[in-house]
Amino acid sequence: MTERPQRTTARRDLHDEEAGPPARPALRVVHELEGIDLAAAEAAAGQFLNALGISTASESLRGTPGRMARAYAELFSPRPFDLTTFPNDEAYDELVLARRMPVRTVCEHHLLPIVGTAHVGYLPGARILGLSKLARVVEHFACRPQVQERLTKQVADWLQSHLEPKGVGVVIEAEHACMTLRGVQATGSSTMTSTLLGLLRSDARSRSEFLALTGAAT
């Protein structure tokens, strides 16, 4: 993963002093992949299917290896984004919470889907975050083979490090196809994980409010 400040061009004019300090450059967040070879992935997918006794010779299955390769390439390729933040001019100190953001990732043990929702909140410090960026951060860490526990903590730790809020909370609830479609076949089951940092961990009132609003306390 590469994080680099976005290049900006400064221009001075007669109103510079009245306008105040320049805006902080947005952090450009890019997940650097080692390289995607779709042709090799397609060939391997074809060999994989054939090894399982599934012929790809028919018209309906002939393009399946290529579709498999492109599908997994998409699942493992998060979109770059700018971490846009703004001064907390009003000194807002209550919880900011984005609920029920879609999460889709792939279990690193079986490469089967994990699908669910994420609730991400924070107690602002000196800066506040563009709300869509909470979903972008979740997507950034979800677009790779994952386990839910790690994904939850990665999102919380990253926001704590880059936003420097007074507290961060992340709750993810998801269904794991590796549990519902194979093995124990626990249809309808879901897994919930949480990570709380700062005041959302140490302050009982803030912790209770966050867990109640996300539904994790019920």
Side-chain angles (χ1 to χ4, degrees):
M1 177 180 72
T2 299
E3 300 153 11
R4 52 180 181 268
Q6 183 180 2
R7 292 183 179 179
T8 58
T9 302
R11 187 185 68 180
R12 296 182 59 84
D13 57 34
L14 296 177
H15 301 287
D16 279 354
E17 294 183 1
E18 296 179 3
R24 176 186 293 187
L27 179 71
R28 184 67 171 172
V29 182
V30 181
H31 179 48
E32 297 287 1
L33 300 173
E34 293 183 1
I36 295 178
D37 187 339
L38 285 175
E42 179 176 350
Q47 293 173 359
F48 172 75
L49 291 172
N50 291 332
L52 292 176
I54 301 173
S55 173
T56 58
S58 69
E59 181 180 351
S60 59
L61 284 171
R62 193 172 300 133
T64 296
R67 287 188 288 267
M68 284 179 60
R70 292 189 296 274
Y72 275 98
E74 180 180 339
L75 287 172
F76 298 152
S77 301
R79 294 169 291 181
F81 69 96
D82 295 327
L83 190 72
T84 310
T85 64
F86 308 94
N88 187 9
D89 292 331
E90 304 301 322
Y92 183 82
D93 60 359
E94 296 293 334
L95 182 65
V96 178
L97 176 63
R99 299 192 299 174
R100 294 187 289 273
M101 293 180 291
V103 175
R104 61 110 174 95
T105 185
V106 175
C107 165
E108 69 177 26
H109 301 135
H110 303 93
L111 289 188
L112 289 172
I114 300 172
V115 179
T117 57
H119 313 284
V120 181
Y122 70 99
L123 292 170
R127 300 187 71 81
I128 57 176
L129 182 66
L131 288 177
S132 67
K133 307 310 177 186
L134 294 173
R136 293 288 195 186
V137 174
V138 171
E139 178 191 279
H140 179 78
F141 287 103
C143 284
R144 63 196 73 178
Q146 273 287 15
V147 295
Q148 187 173 326
E149 297 89 340
R150 182 197 304 130
L151 172 60
T152 307
K153 193 169 189 308
Q154 284 177 332
V155 172
D157 287 345
W158 198 90
L159 287 171
Q160 184 70 30
S161 173
H162 290 82
L163 187 59
E164 298 181 349
K166 296 177 182 177
V168 172
V170 179
V171 170
I172 296 178
E173 183 174 6
E175 180 177 309
H176 293 238
C178 58
M179 280 186 61
T180 60
L181 299 181
R182 58 158 299 280
V184 69
Q185 297 184 21
T187 304
S189 67
S190 64
T191 299
M192 182 174 288
T193 50
S194 66
T195 296
L196 304 177
L197 303 175
L199 287 178
L200 288 182
R201 184 181 184 92
S202 63
D203 180 69
R205 185 192 69 83
S206 298
R207 179 188 180 98
S208 296
E209 179 187 15
F210 174 78
L211 293 177
L213 289 174
T214 60
T218 60

